[in-house]
Amino acid sequence: MRRRRRIETMFRDLILSVLVGFVTGFITTQTLMLFLWKHHALACKLAYSRHHHQPHDMIGRLRGLHSETTNKKLLFVGVMTTRKNLETKAKAIFDTWGQHVPGRLVFFVGTGDRVASPLPVIELSDVADVGYPSRC
């Protein structure tokens, strides 16, 4: 009888502990989510008011941004290719969108014969000059 009562008490305490844990977790989560939601809403409102401009003003800002970024080297674009593709595909990349990269465009090739190309080419040692991506 005493043992049964002790088991019932332990079971009741376990259920009560789990219930209190769930309630505490739920309240904490809801409070935190409410706080984060209000903070996010305030941040969005501030960002919108700070960056909301008339269309003609936005065009001027974009032109100013374009003139600022044309003089800066923002990106480094590396294209892995083969010697076989330097005069065809790599040259097409360099002549088209490669001219508009706000930064530096370089072509990487594997080891092999010396490269005589007007393109910016870097030869990698210990890398086979095969089709990329290499097929295993």
Side-chain angles (χ1 to χ4, degrees):
M1 188 73 163
R2 192 176 260 194
R3 185 173 179 196
R4 183 177 175 179
R5 189 171 263 163
R6 192 173 353 152
I7 291 174
E8 288 175 354
T9 305
M10 286 174 47
F11 185 71
R12 185 187 67 216
D13 290 346
L14 177 69
I15 296 294
L16 188 61
S17 297
V18 169
L19 186 61
V20 167
F22 275 124
V23 170
T24 304
F26 180 77
I27 291 172
T28 304
T29 304
Q30 293 302 313
T31 305
L32 183 63
M33 291 197 45
L34 181 64
F35 170 75
L36 291 176
W37 180 78
K38 283 184 178 180
H39 180 73
H40 179 72
L42 179 64
C44 287
K45 190 180 288 186
L46 287 174
Y48 180 77
S49 66
R50 192 177 306 147
H51 296 293
H52 186 68
H53 302 283
Q54 296 298 323
H56 65 278
D57 187 32
M58 199 60 151
I59 292 170
R61 287 174 55 98
L62 287 174
R63 284 188 183 135
L65 180 64
H66 177 68
S67 65
E68 287 176 22
T69 58
T70 52
N71 298 329
K72 293 183 180 178
K73 303 291 184 186
L74 298 176
L75 293 177
F76 178 82
V77 178
V79 178
M80 189 71 186
T81 187
T82 61
R83 285 177 167 69
K84 181 176 77 173
N85 294 329
L86 274 178
E87 297 304 318
T88 55
K89 296 176 182 177
K91 185 165 178 7
I93 289 171
F94 188 76
D95 290 340
T96 56
W97 62 264
Q99 297 296 316
H100 304 288
V101 172
R104 186 170 178 207
L105 172 66
V106 175
F107 296 96
F108 292 100
V109 295
T111 56
D113 296 333
R114 192 95 176 128
V115 176
S117 175
L119 302 175
V121 177
I122 296 178
E123 295 180 44
L124 301 173
S125 60
D126 299 327
V127 176
D129 192 38
V130 294
Y132 293 98
S134 58
R135 292 168 178 83
C136 297

